[in-house]
Amino acid sequence: MSSELHYSGSFTVGKSPIDVLNFITDLPRAITCIPNIISYEVLSKDRVRARFRVDLGNEVPIAELRRITTDATIELISQLGNEVRYRVDGRAAGSAIGVLLAIRVNELGDGSRIDWDATASLGRLLQMMSRFVSIDSLVKRISEDTIHGFIECLLR
């Protein structure tokens, strides 16, 4: 298994690109939309420390590893035009995790099309866990759940 996983997707919302960009660059507000968040601390307008609970599912043979807690720092590292980039650095199950996320917002009729790309780098222990659980499908599910949480917040 490669230590880097790549994901991408897109979705549309009935909000203007400026509304979407204002929302996703307001990290202290956007952090509240991430599913399974236990707690968070705003370090600055561009940086947040957060704790998440991740359910790995019953296919993990070790009961203690079926539900893990992840601590991460999320940082808005750049905004150029319609593109916003984030870096997420954290630890889960004693292993490092790094994610680079790029979000592009384009006008689409009366709303916006949001395209996203993510590259996740996993530490050695998480790579070894791939023998027991599909880490790729797990990270994909977490990404999709997070995007769904953002969509619901955007529509409020």
Side-chain angles (χ1 to χ4, degrees):
M1 175 183 168
S2 169
S3 65
E4 279 195 352
L5 303 171
H6 301 276
Y7 304 95
S8 62
S10 65
F11 59 95
T12 59
V13 292
K15 297 280 186 175
S16 71
I18 193 70
D19 287 343
V20 174
L21 285 167
N22 285 340
F23 174 76
I24 65 173
T25 57
D26 183 356
L27 195 51
R29 180 176 159 212
I31 190 75
T32 64
C33 299
I34 297 176
N36 300 318
I37 195 158
I38 298 169
S39 63
Y40 66 93
E41 175 187 4
V42 176
L43 303 173
S44 72
K45 70 179 188 69
D46 295 332
R47 200 161 183 243
V48 174
R49 183 178 303 129
R51 176 169 278 187
F52 310 89
R53 183 169 294 129
V54 180
D55 186 2
L56 299 179
N58 289 332
E59 63 268 17
V60 175
I62 302 166
E64 290 79 12
L65 291 177
R66 289 182 186 151
R67 178 175 264 186
I68 60 174
T69 301
T70 303
D71 292 310
T73 300
I74 303 166
E75 183 176 10
L76 191 156
I77 55 175
S78 71
Q79 179 183 3
L80 184 60
N82 70 333
E83 183 173 278
V84 177
R85 291 185 175 271
Y86 292 96
R87 179 177 40 241
V88 180
D89 292 309
R91 295 193 67 74
S95 193
I97 299 172
V99 178
L100 289 175
L101 172 65
I103 301 172
R104 288 166 305 287
V105 182
N106 294 298
E107 188 172 346
L108 182 67
D110 290 342
S112 299
R113 177 185 165 104
I114 301 163
D115 299 305
W116 61 275
D117 296 290
T119 301
S121 300
L122 305 178
R124 197 79 160 131
L125 184 58
L126 287 173
Q127 290 179 49
M128 289 171 47
M129 283 179 60
S130 67
R131 289 189 222 167
F132 306 111
V133 62
S134 172
I135 296 293
D136 186 55
S137 65
L138 173 68
V139 174
K140 183 178 180 184
R141 179 177 49 102
I142 292 168
S143 299
E144 290 170 349
D145 287 350
T146 301
I147 295 298
H148 182 73
F150 280 131
I151 293 170
E152 290 202 2
C153 281
L154 276 167
L155 297 176
R156 285 189 213 155

